[in-house]
Amino acid sequence: MSRSRPPGVSVQREPFGSLPDGRGVERYVLRSGDLEVAVLTYGAVLQSVRAPDAQGAVADVALGYDDLAGYLGDSTYVGAVVGRFANRIAGGRFVLDDAEHVLPQNHGTSCLHGGPEGFHTRLWSGREVPGGVELTLTSPDGDMGFPGALTATVRYVLDDEGLTLTYGATTDRATVVNLTNHAYWNLAGGGSIEDHVLELPAERFVAVDDRLIPTELSPVTGTPLDFRSPTRVGDRLREATAQLRYAQGYDHAWVLDGEGLRRAARVTDPVSGRVLEVLTDQPSVQFYSGNFLDGSVVGRGGRAYRQGDGLCLETQHLPDSPNRPDFPSTTLRPGQTYATRTTFRFGTTGRPALEPASG
């Protein structure tokens, strides 16, 4: 039985260059009204998101590269799905079922985003699904030191809710999994994100040491990490506190209240009027203010990406969870299915973001 696309959503597949070994990369373009999303099979990258402002003018609100060469040379995970474990694992090692697993140390002494050859560097297979694309990747046992042969999927679907990313994974051996998308957002379509207004409905954040490894869960009250009320990103960015000094800005996980699909973040650009709402069923959202963008990579339109050119809102489990039994578990065992979803809803202050469907 065939299934038709949701009304008003088109999906177009096109070539996007070839890898050095000759394998072709594809680009899927999803369109619904005046919203357009492009996804690559390389790195499962969210390559472009074109959205209207309050006056109807359309601009790209996600950082990206014009061609495949940009992604092959990228060191900042622009738009990619990162895994097998997003964020940091301290010491590049963890113990699972009494066995120690040693991982690459690609950020100081930590394993960051699954290692230097993590999922962001892999060619995923793509197929069209109603309203979008499903990407699949098989990661062999021992890949970057992680146990178990893992099959991972991510679906990008555009519908009346917005852009929904649905992640799935199965394994043939106990392992750890933590997948997220590393899109950099700039709702103005350019310039600094310091004027963006951010709201994070969280009473606690994950405090870190100078290696950005978790130390404890701390209350946001009285700190520059309190975004429970809408706050300009740049207002406290340069406060002389240890947490901002360690991260050179914001690069922390906020622990979300409640369970199930709920709001993780809301961002507004007061100039364009664009609004981005992020909903997730994950335990936390990592807000990263683009601190390590240093101008060394040239993005879309020949623009060198520098500190503050984009911000990330990475929905995920807490960092270093495999080494923290007090954090929610990231263990996946044979017979279990890793399943999580995140929705990005786009709107404007003059035309509010869509309300979630009832039921």
Side-chain angles (χ1 to χ4, degrees):
M1 181 179 68
S2 64
R3 297 179 62 187
S4 61
R5 300 187 184 108
V9 178
S10 67
V11 181
Q12 178 181 340
R13 185 179 66 180
E14 57 194 30
F16 196 78
S18 298
L19 298 177
D21 63 8
R23 290 178 297 165
V25 174
E26 295 179 321
R27 180 177 188 254
Y28 286 81
V29 182
L30 323 179
R31 296 184 180 92
S32 178
D34 45 16
L35 185 64
E36 179 186 284
V37 172
V39 178
L40 304 182
T41 52
Y42 178 78
V45 162
L46 182 60
Q47 191 252 343
S48 171
V49 178
R50 293 179 56 79
D53 66 10
Q55 283 68 50
V58 175
D60 212 316
V61 297
L63 303 192
Y65 300 99
D66 290 319
D67 54 30
L68 181 59
Y71 292 99
L72 295 179
D74 176 66
S75 60
T76 56
Y77 310 96
V78 171
V81 168
V82 293
R84 181 177 304 193
F85 197 94
N87 218 309
R88 295 165 181 85
I89 296 180
R93 60 186 63 227
F94 67 95
V95 174
L96 180 60
D97 294 342
D98 298 324
E100 184 178 58
H101 302 281
V102 180
L103 317 172
Q105 298 178 358
N106 59 323
H107 188 268
T109 59
S110 301
C111 180
L112 177 65
H113 295 327
E117 297 177 12
F119 290 2
H120 63 289
T121 69
R122 307 297 174 84
L123 183 63
W124 300 56
S125 62
R127 70 180 184 94
E128 184 179 336
V129 296
V133 57
E134 180 180 86
L135 303 171
T136 302
L137 177 70
T138 298
S139 172
D141 183 28
D143 190 7
M144 291 286 102
F146 290 94
L150 186 86
T151 298
T153 61
V154 57
R155 280 193 177 201
Y156 289 86
V157 172
L158 194 59
D159 59 21
D160 288 343
E161 286 294 301
L163 176 64
T164 295
L165 278 64
T166 304
Y167 303 90
T170 57
T171 184
D172 66 357
R173 180 184 171 195
T175 190
V176 294
V177 184
N178 185 27
L179 304 179
T180 192
N181 181 275
H182 206 288
Y184 289 77
W185 303 103
N186 187 316
L187 300 185
S192 173
I193 49 85
E194 290 192 22
D195 286 331
H196 283 30
V197 176
L198 175 64
E199 181 181 358
L200 299 172
E203 296 185 356
R204 296 177 299 165
F205 74 97
V206 180
V208 296
D209 62 17
D210 58 0
R211 301 167 299 155
L212 302 183
I213 297 301
T215 57
E216 61 182 347
L217 303 186
S218 296
V220 299
T221 303
T223 77
L225 291 93
D226 189 350
F227 286 91
R228 290 174 295 179
S229 298
T231 304
R232 180 178 173 271
V233 169
D235 278 355
R236 299 167 301 188
L237 185 60
R238 291 170 179 79
E239 286 194 12
T241 65
Q243 289 300 303
L244 297 187
R245 184 171 68 252
Y246 293 155
Q248 301 182 33
Y250 295 106
D251 193 4
H252 300 78
W254 273 255
V255 182
L256 299 173
D257 300 328
E259 296 181 352
L261 192 69
R262 64 218 185 276
R263 181 186 288 182
R266 177 183 170 94
V267 190
T268 303
D269 172 40
V271 176
S272 69
R274 291 189 182 92
V275 178
L276 170 62
E277 291 183 339
V278 184
L279 292 85
T280 190
D281 56 12
Q282 290 285 72
S284 76
V285 59
Q286 183 91 5
F287 165 43
Y288 169 53
S289 52
N291 319 323
F292 299 107
L293 296 175
D294 60 5
S296 61
V297 296
V298 178
R300 188 176 293 115
R303 177 182 174 83
Y305 289 145
R306 300 187 182 279
Q307 187 177 53
D309 280 353
L311 62 84
C312 300
L313 295 165
E314 306 158 56
T315 56
Q316 57 185 268
H317 270 261
L318 305 186
D320 200 31
S321 289
N323 293 314
R324 296 292 300 257
D326 53 326
F327 288 176
S329 175
T330 55
T331 300
L332 181 69
R333 298 185 181 279
Q336 297 177 334
T337 299
Y338 172 90
T340 180
R341 65 178 173 139
T342 293
T343 295
F344 298 100
R345 298 203 312 232
F346 304 92
T348 67
T349 52
R351 183 178 55 192
L354 295 172
E355 292 298 322
S358 60

